[in-house]
Amino acid sequence: MRCGPPSSAGASGCACTISGDRNLPDEADNHVVELAVAGNTEAIVTHNTRDFRQNELRFPGLTVVTPGALIAES
């Protein structure tokens, strides 16, 4: 993962990209994984679990759960 200063567009935080680990079937979903890894999160919460299958994620500490499953865990 590579992080740099915020973009000149006025975004706060850091601009991060994960080199070589973009492996999801839908390229448009890779930014979600990049943000989750950059934010050191434990889970991606989404109804779109089909595009975030565990065997395709290369980050062992990151899981994918539906909102209902997250609420049920609480």
Side-chain angles (χ1 to χ4, degrees):
M1 182 171 64
R2 184 181 73 236
C3 287
S7 70
S8 59
S12 61
C14 70
C16 297
T17 58
I18 301 171
S19 301
D21 289 326
R22 304 177 134 232
N23 61 319
L24 295 176
D26 185 351
E27 181 67 26
D29 291 329
N30 282 314
H31 75 283
V32 176
V33 175
E34 290 177 355
L35 289 170
V37 171
N40 199 30
T41 62
E42 295 177 15
I44 295 173
V45 182
T46 180
H47 286 290
N48 184 16
T49 58
R50 177 177 45 96
D51 285 347
F52 294 96
R53 291 182 287 260
Q54 287 303 128
N55 61 339
E56 294 172 350
L57 289 177
R58 294 182 183 156
F59 303 96
L62 185 61
T63 59
V64 179
V65 297
T66 63
L70 182 66
I71 292 169
E73 290 178 14
S74 300

